[in-house]
Amino acid sequence: MQDRPSIPIGCLYGIGLGPGDPELVTVKASRLLAKLPHLFAPKADQVSLSIAKSIAAHHVGANVQFHETVYPMTRDPNVLRDSWRKAAAPVVAVLERGQDAGFITLGDPMLYSTFSYLMRAVRELLPNARVEIVPAVMSFAASAALTEFVLGEQKTQLTVAPAPDTEAGMSALIAQGGRLVMMKVGSRLPQLVDWLRASGHLAQTRLVVRAGLSGQRVITDLSRCDELDKVGYLSTLLVDLEPGEAL
Ligand SMILES: C[S@@+](CC[C@H](N)C(=O)[O-])C[C@H]1O[C@@H](n2cnc3c(N)ncnc32)[C@H](O)[C@@H]1O
């Protein structure tokens, strides 16, 4: 009996779409989006799912099939591992059929993106999986551009962090000095603004909401901004912590 020739497995592309403006999608990402038959995006995060799809829609081919991967809503490491395996299974099925698959993500795939979990889970199920990561404009780069906020000059230290949950966490970030980018701001904004006011940094803080998307807001004076609790998930704070350097 002759062995059937094995099909070469497909490649998983982690495709960063940039922060929102379809013109900020890289040429490489655009080329891949136009040719890939299967695009996956995380489902639980509905905001990212629909936005990622709407950015990708400017670039995809006519026969693309979108798949939603269920993003586990737990911090339990065992439950997480199992859930990611389940999420990875349909991706692995596509790759094993010899087809390529793309996982689309807002901003860059290597910065607070569900792509990292999916990539590990795919590799667990298919250790010889081919993976290619397509980097992208990170949302904080777009936010810095919109506010003319210089992220670094000469020896400035730049800290990029998720918005802290505690005042001690905020103080630790402030103690770093230099420039600070806080992501995942959302409903924490009123508390963060209070802490930044108390530490004397509010005048040196900028807020960008939905950079490059409908409803974009650029706020340079947070002391005059109301409805802080309504800015939503896609918001980023930029803080200049250098003493005596007002923006
Ligand atoms: C899960 S992280 C994804 C980061 C993304 N991978 C990147 O490279 O920018 C989501 C956070 O990114 C920031 N973000 C993403 N897109 C944004 C946008 N268009 N405008 C402002 N902030 C954005 C927000 O801080 C949001 O809470």
Side-chain angles (χ1 to χ4, degrees), residues 16 18-21 45 48 51 55 71 105-114 136-143 146 161-163 181-186 188 207-213 216-217 232-237:
D21 179 349
D45 177 353
S48 298
I51 294 176
I55 303 168
Y71 178 90
T105 186
L106 261 183
D108 184 272
M110 303 311 266
L111 182 73
Y112 303 129
S113 165
T114 45
V137 176
M138 294 175 180
S139 57
F140 70 79
S143 300
L146 284 166
V181 173
M182 279 185 283
M183 304 178 72
K184 305 187 181 189
V185 170
R188 296 184 181 89
L207 171 70
V208 177
V209 181
R210 297 180 63 87
L213 295 163
Q216 170 182 296
R217 290 171 71 195
Y233 172 65
L234 294 179
S235 31
T236 297
L237 281 168

Side-chain angles (χ1 to χ4, degrees), residues 47-128:
V47 179
S48 298
L49 173 69
S50 58
I51 294 176
K53 268 169 109 170
S54 68
I55 303 168
H58 291 261
H59 302 270
V60 292
N63 297 321
V64 67
Q65 218 181 314
F66 277 103
H67 307 259
E68 297 174 352
T69 50
V70 177
Y71 178 90
M73 302 290 281
T74 170
R75 290 190 178 183
D76 179 323
N78 293 325
V79 179
L80 268 177
R81 199 170 313 111
D82 281 357
S83 310
W84 276 113
R85 272 204 193 133
K86 274 190 202 126
V91 180
V92 168
V94 167
L95 301 180
E96 283 183 328
R97 289 203 301 272
Q99 291 186 301
D100 294 335
F103 185 90
I104 53 175
T105 186
L106 261 183
D108 184 272
M110 303 311 266
L111 182 73
Y112 303 129
S113 165
T114 45
F115 175 69
S116 51
Y117 303 103
L118 182 87
M119 175 177 67
R120 285 190 206 109
V122 166
R123 277 255 162 81
E124 265 187 44
L125 295 173
L126 196 61
N128 58 344

Side-chain angles (χ1 to χ4, degrees), residues 15 22 25-35 58-60 134:
I15 304 178
V25 172
T26 63
V27 174
K28 184 165 191 172
S30 178
R31 180 179 57 74
L32 284 166
L33 291 170
K35 74 164 199 183
H58 291 261
H59 302 270
V60 292
V134 182

